Amino acid sequence: MEIDGGQLTQIPILNLLATLLQMDALRNLKFSECVMEYSISNNVMQTPVIRIISPELQITGKGSVSLADYSLNHNLTITFAKGALGAAQKKS
């Protein structure tokens, strides 16, 4: 699955990070690219590739979702653009 241009809103972990890092852009994250590869087998959705790219940051990772109980098991990494954190904290 690939989406060019979009926005993530009301994502609890991003809202928490926005508060902790004082970076409001995370609350309604506008991205230029979102890529997710997945396969489903034995009631588990494997996501070996997750990539979200925005001007402020990049989120990459992989994991799985149990479709039986909707539990998530993902490892994600957030990489901030140079100066993104400092610029966000100067605005607040």
Side-chain angles (χ1 to χ4, degrees):
M1 172 185 79
E2 184 171 335
I3 301 170
D4 290 328
Q7 187 170 356
L8 294 173
T9 61
Q10 301 303 315
I11 307 296
I13 189 66
L14 291 179
N15 288 340
L16 176 62
L17 286 172
T19 300
L20 292 173
L21 299 174
Q22 299 176 7
M23 189 174 186
D24 285 334
L26 291 172
R27 293 188 198 287
N28 294 300
L29 182 62
K30 294 179 182 176
F31 59 85
S32 57
E33 177 183 311
C34 176
V35 174
M36 184 175 85
E37 294 179 11
Y38 67 92
S39 63
I40 299 174
S41 178
N42 297 324
N43 222 17
V44 175
M45 181 172 71
Q46 297 291 333
T47 54
V49 174
I50 299 170
R51 183 175 61 247
I52 300 170
I53 299 173
S54 83
E56 296 87 11
L57 59 93
Q58 178 172 308
I59 299 172
T60 56
K62 61 182 179 178
S64 63
V65 178
S66 170
L67 301 177
D69 62 8
Y70 303 106
S71 60
L72 301 173
N73 182 13
H74 283 91
N75 292 313
L76 300 170
T77 300
I78 297 179
T79 305
F80 292 96
K82 185 175 182 178
L85 287 175
Q89 291 175 349
K90 287 178 185 175
K91 290 180 185 178
S92 58

